[in-house]
């Protein structure tokens, strides 16, 4: 393709060169504009984006009090974690399923993990939830706000290790 283009530019066939440039613009500009528009809309949904001190403290807890190879599942995703993997960015820890806005923008979805999260969120069977947490090696479950699951947390192999006004973190034991 580049050889053909260099031939066209050498011969200075202006009509054909202009036509090719217009074709390139027609094919690539709409997608670029669309992706930029989607990204901009996601980034501006919140008028005054703020990461609270409580969230920063929870990130510090995870960074300083958990093993570096810990797998964290973020539940009740906050705005930022839904778009980007903010917990991962601040903690330098592995996320099970986080940053869905970025993942969707790149058309890379992990249906198996999405299904596992749905099981953890909605299952009424404590054994099934515990098995899912263990199967995927999830070490910590990070909740924005009040923990909400289909089953009582007291019936799960989870131990509360951190709590603030806006965040609760449980360790899978």
């Amino acid at each position: 393709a580049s050889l053909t283009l260099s031939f066209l530019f050498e011969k200075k066939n202006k009509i054909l060169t202009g036509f090719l440039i217009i074709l390139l613009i027609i094919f690539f500009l709409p997608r670029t504009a669309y992706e930029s528009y989607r990204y901009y809309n996601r980034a501006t949904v919140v008028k005054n984006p703020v990461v609270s001190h409580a969230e920063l403290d929870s990130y510090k807890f995870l960074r300083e009090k958990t093993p570096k190879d810990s797998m964290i599942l973020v539940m009740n995703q906050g705005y930022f974690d839904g778009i980007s993997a903010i917990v991962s960015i601040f903690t330098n820890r592995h996320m099970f399923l986080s940053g869905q806005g970025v993942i969707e923008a790149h058309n890379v979805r992990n249906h198996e993990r999405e299904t596992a999260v749905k099981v953890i969120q909605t299952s009424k069977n404590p054994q099934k939830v515990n098995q899912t947490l263990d199967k995927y090696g999830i070490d910590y479950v990070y909740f924005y706000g009040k923990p909400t699951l289909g089953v009582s947390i007291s019936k799960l192999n989870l131990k509360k290790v951190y709590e603030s006004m806006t965040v609760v973190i449980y360790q899978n034991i």
Side-chain angles (χ1 to χ4, degrees):
S2 61
L3 209 66
T4 304
L5 288 175
S6 67
F7 175 76
L8 290 174
F9 286 121
E10 278 181 19
K11 295 292 185 181
K12 297 187 174 136
N13 186 343
K14 292 182 181 181
I15 294 173
L16 192 54
T17 303
F19 179 73
L20 284 175
I21 290 172
I22 289 171
L23 273 178
L24 287 172
I25 290 171
I26 288 172
F27 284 115
F28 293 109
L29 189 62
R31 178 172 175 111
T32 303
Y34 173 72
E35 291 298 328
S36 297
Y37 172 78
R38 280 184 54 200
Y39 182 79
Y40 176 77
N41 278 345
R42 283 192 176 120
T44 58
V45 169
V46 174
K47 299 220 185 267
N48 298 314
V50 174
V51 177
S52 71
H53 289 291
E55 287 177 83
L56 291 173
D57 288 343
S58 71
Y59 303 151
K60 183 178 179 183
F61 169 82
L62 288 170
R63 188 176 56 251
E64 294 178 356
K65 307 286 184 187
T66 64
K68 289 187 187 267
D69 62 347
S70 296
M71 176 72 70
I72 300 167
L73 170 60
V74 178
M75 302 292 282
N76 306 347
Q77 291 191 349
Y79 170 74
F80 288 117
D81 201 69
I83 301 300
S84 68
I86 192 168
V87 176
S88 178
I89 293 165
F90 279 96
T91 64
N92 197 26
R93 297 294 181 268
H94 303 288
M95 299 291 109
F96 183 70
L97 187 65
S98 204
Q100 293 305 292
V102 174
I103 290 170
E104 288 172 8
H106 293 284
N107 294 322
V108 180
R109 308 256 336 236
N110 191 326
H111 297 290
E112 182 180 355
R113 287 191 175 194
E114 290 172 359
T115 301
V117 170
K118 188 175 277 189
V119 167
I120 293 166
Q121 281 178 324
T122 61
S123 178
K124 306 254 186 250
N125 182 340
Q127 285 180 313
K128 191 171 186 177
V129 173
N130 284 327
Q131 287 171 348
T132 305
L133 290 168
D134 292 340
K135 176 183 177 182
Y136 291 99
I138 297 169
D139 300 302
Y140 295 90
V141 183
Y142 182 107
F143 288 94
Y144 283 103
K146 182 181 177 191
T148 54
L149 295 174
V151 66
S152 171
I153 289 182
S154 64
K155 294 180 180 178
L156 300 175
N157 297 334
L158 295 175
K159 176 181 130 185
K160 189 185 300 182
V161 292
Y162 180 89
E163 184 174 18
S164 71
M165 292 181 67
T166 57
V167 172
V168 182
I169 303 172
Y170 289 88
Q171 182 179 12
N172 185 13
I173 51 173

